[in-house]
């Protein structure tokens, strides 16, 4: 049969092929592998080295993001290491509703978005009325007299189960007694209770989470009055805080509001940068004091490369989409109050220097999101010999070109 003939032919052809392969291959398959024509002439050397003094000419600058441009406004209780009051000015409310004059104002409702809060039970945001002319020049000292019991107009409870969402409270009809004189502009500020560990983040216009104030009124309709309502969103929002203590030139500041950034210039030996493959680079920073901020809060520290090093206006190489808010590349969470040495991965910055000789050998430290909290880290600079920043590098020297 043709099927049987074909099967035998295939078997004979396969056997012949195996015979030829065995005859042509003299390698002893049971012996250890030997391949001098393919293996490198020497063993691969991997070095782990700590480069003390590799950070030079570092510096810190402030003023990058102001509180009124931040995506969050942080409320921190009075008496804490830092103190802060979010403030909001709304667009003018109408002096008539649907072309009908307002006979009386029954009440208001205030709604805000709270993305995060302290892990403390019984948190409450106390609402105060403020002067109608608040703006980005308003300071903590200017507004401190208005955060008193006499200006309190409402309380917003923050449920213990709240992990982020909209909360609100009704306000009385006389909450803004000078509303008409103020051009129908309403302004509010917030303090937070209870205790020194109370804090909460409020969303702002920059994050498209601005507050909403609704007015409920009775308007004249013929000889009667009927119910009507209208609302306005925030026209301005920010926060005012107690000024943080200044620091001297031996300190690198990161974070705070207005936000600080620090730039570190790196001077590594050429045999590491130009003639080695860097598998890991770690920046080591020593805090000059415990991490500042609201108790229990965490701060996101980032280390990134610069497009060009031109001092305080140096543009940052933007982290890849989604990377900025993660710890996977160049990111590290700092717990407020911690004073441990900070170790952050900067491989993504240092490794490309061999291939891109035009890239500046500089590292920028910044907090993300900037100015969204009072949190600040302060590290010793290269001018503090005992605790200067340093780099730990794991690298493999490249083979000479005349070797395989």
């Amino acid at each position: 049969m043709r099927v049987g003939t074909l099967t035998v032919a295939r078997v004979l052809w396969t056997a012949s092929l195996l015979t030829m392969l065995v005859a042509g291959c003299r390698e002893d398959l049971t012996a250890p592998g030997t391949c001098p024509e393919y293996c490198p002439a020497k063993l691969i050397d991997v070095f782990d080295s700590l480069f003390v003094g590799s950070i030079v000419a570092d510096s810190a600058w402030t003023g990058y993001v102001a509180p009124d441009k931040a995506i969050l406004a942080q409320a921190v209780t009075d008496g804490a290491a830092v103190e802060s009051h979010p403030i909001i000015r709304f667009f003018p409310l109408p002096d008539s509703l649907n072309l009908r004059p307002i006979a009386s104002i029954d009440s208001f409702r205030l709604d805000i978005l709270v993305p995060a809060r302290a892990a403390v039970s019984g948190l409450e945001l106390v609402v105060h009325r403020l002067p109608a002319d608040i703006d980005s020049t308003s300071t903590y000292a200017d507004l401190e007299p208005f955060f008193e019991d006499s200006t309190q107009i409402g309380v917003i409870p923050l449920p213990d189960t709240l992990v982020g969402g909209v909360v609100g409270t009704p306000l009385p009809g006389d909450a803004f007694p000078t509303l008409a004189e103020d051009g129908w502009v309403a302004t509010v500020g917030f303090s937070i209770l209870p205790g020194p560990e109370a804090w909460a983040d409020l969303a702002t216009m920059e994050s498209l989470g601005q507050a909403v104030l609704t007015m409920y009124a009775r308007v004249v309709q013929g000889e009667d009055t009927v119910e009507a309502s209208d609302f306005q969103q925030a026209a301005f929002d920010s926060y005012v805080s107690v000024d943080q203590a200044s620091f001297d030139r031996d300190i690198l500041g990161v974070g705070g509001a207005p936000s600080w950034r620090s730039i570190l210039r790196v001077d590594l030996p050429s045999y590491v940068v130009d003639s080695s493959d860097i598998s890991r680079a770690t920046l080591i920073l020593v805090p000059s004091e415990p991490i500042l901020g609201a108790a229990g809060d965490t701060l996101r520290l980032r280390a990134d490369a610069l497009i060009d090093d031109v001092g305080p206006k140096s543009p940052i190489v933007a982290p890849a989409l989604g990377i900025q808010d993660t710890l996977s590349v160049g990111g590290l969470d700092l717990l407020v109050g911690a004073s441990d040495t900070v170790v952050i991965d900067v491989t993504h910055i240092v490794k490309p220097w061999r291939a891109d000789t035009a890239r500046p050998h500089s590292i920028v430290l910044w907090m993300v999101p900037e100015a969204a909290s009072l949190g600040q880290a302060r590290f010793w600079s290269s001018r503090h010999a005992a605790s200067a920043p340093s780099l730990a590098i794991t690298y493999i020297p490249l083979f000479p070109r005349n070797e395989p």
Side-chain angles (χ1 to χ4, degrees):
M1 296 176 61
R2 293 182 58 85
V3 174
T5 304
L6 180 61
T7 301
V8 171
R10 282 178 176 173
V11 171
L12 292 175
W13 182 85
T14 301
S16 300
L17 179 60
L18 289 174
T19 301
M20 288 186 291
L21 288 175
V22 171
C25 181
R26 300 295 184 181
E27 184 178 359
D28 185 355
L29 298 180
T30 63
T34 56
C35 51
E37 66 274 28
Y38 297 113
C39 293
K42 60 180 180 179
L43 296 177
I44 295 176
D45 295 320
V46 179
F47 295 89
D48 282 304
S49 299
L50 177 64
F51 292 91
V52 178
S54 58
I55 307 299
V56 297
D58 45 12
S59 48
W61 291 279
T62 188
Y64 290 95
V65 178
D68 62 303
K69 302 301 182 184
I71 67 171
L72 297 173
Q74 192 169 61
V76 184
T77 188
D78 291 350
V82 292
E83 299 176 11
S84 175
H85 297 290
I87 57 177
I88 300 173
R89 185 183 72 243
F90 293 93
F91 283 106
L93 290 160
D95 58 2
S96 63
L97 299 176
N98 298 327
L99 302 179
R100 295 172 293 183
I102 295 175
S104 63
I105 299 175
D106 293 338
S107 64
F108 298 88
R109 180 173 177 83
L110 176 63
D111 291 289
I112 58 174
L113 174 60
V114 178
R117 44 154 289 167
V120 176
S121 297
L123 286 183
E124 294 179 333
L125 283 170
V126 181
V127 186
H128 300 263
R129 63 170 176 267
L130 299 182
D133 59 352
I134 61 171
D135 58 21
S136 60
T137 64
S138 300
T139 66
Y140 185 91
D142 295 334
L143 299 181
E144 185 179 14
F146 296 94
F147 290 97
E148 303 290 344
D149 292 343
S150 60
T151 63
Q152 180 177 329
I153 57 177
V155 175
I156 302 177
L158 301 182
D160 294 348
T161 57
L162 179 70
V163 293
V166 175
V167 292
T169 187
L171 304 176
D174 61 354
F176 308 100
T178 61
L179 187 62
E181 291 88 337
D182 292 333
W184 295 85
V185 173
T187 55
V188 296
F190 301 88
S191 55
I192 189 167
L193 298 172
E197 296 186 351
W199 61 270
D201 293 335
L202 279 61
T204 67
M205 299 163 53
E206 281 67 23
S207 60
L208 304 180
Q210 62 260 52
V212 175
L213 181 67
T214 304
M215 178 177 67
Y216 299 94
R218 297 193 69 83
V219 297
V220 176
Q221 181 171 297
E223 297 182 356
D224 299 322
T225 60
V226 297
E227 295 179 350
S229 65
D230 203 343
F231 69 91
Q232 286 293 359
Q233 293 180 317
F236 166 81
D237 50 25
S238 183
Y239 59 94
V240 292
S241 59
V242 176
D243 291 338
Q244 295 179 346
S246 60
F247 50 89
D248 60 31
R249 64 184 298 273
D250 288 340
I251 304 298
L252 299 174
V254 186
S259 57
W260 284 82
R261 295 178 187 173
S262 288
I263 296 178
L264 288 66
R265 282 84 182 190
V266 180
D267 183 17
L268 287 171
S270 60
Y271 65 82
V272 174
V273 177
D274 302 327
S275 304
S276 297
D277 182 22
I278 295 175
S279 58
R280 186 171 181 84
T282 304
L283 177 64
I284 301 172
L285 302 165
V286 179
S288 62
E289 59 185 284
I291 305 300
L292 301 172
D297 197 5
T298 56
L299 314 176
R300 178 61 52 82
L301 174 68
R302 279 205 59 83
D304 285 300
L306 297 178
I307 296 174
D308 192 13
D309 189 346
V310 290
K313 294 185 178 181
S314 300
I316 298 175
V317 176
L321 183 63
I323 290 297
Q324 177 170 305
D325 296 327
T326 71
L327 302 179
S328 58
V329 177
L332 182 70
D333 274 349
L334 302 178
L335 178 64
V336 168
S339 56
D340 298 333
T341 298
V342 171
V343 178
I344 186 167
D345 187 356
V346 292
T347 309
H348 67 296
I349 304 173
V350 178
K351 187 178 180 66
W353 289 348
R354 179 166 63 88
D356 186 356
T357 57
R359 180 172 294 191
H361 292 189
S362 303
I363 299 172
V364 61
L365 300 175
W366 57 312
M367 294 288 186
V368 292
E370 288 191 284
S373 77
L374 302 179
Q376 186 182 94
R378 298 178 178 183
F379 304 108
W380 290 114
S381 74
S382 60
R383 291 168 292 283
H384 191 274
S387 303
S390 58
L391 280 170
I393 308 288
T394 302
Y395 62 98
I396 303 171
L398 301 176
F399 296 112
R401 293 183 181 275
N402 60 350
E403 292 186 8

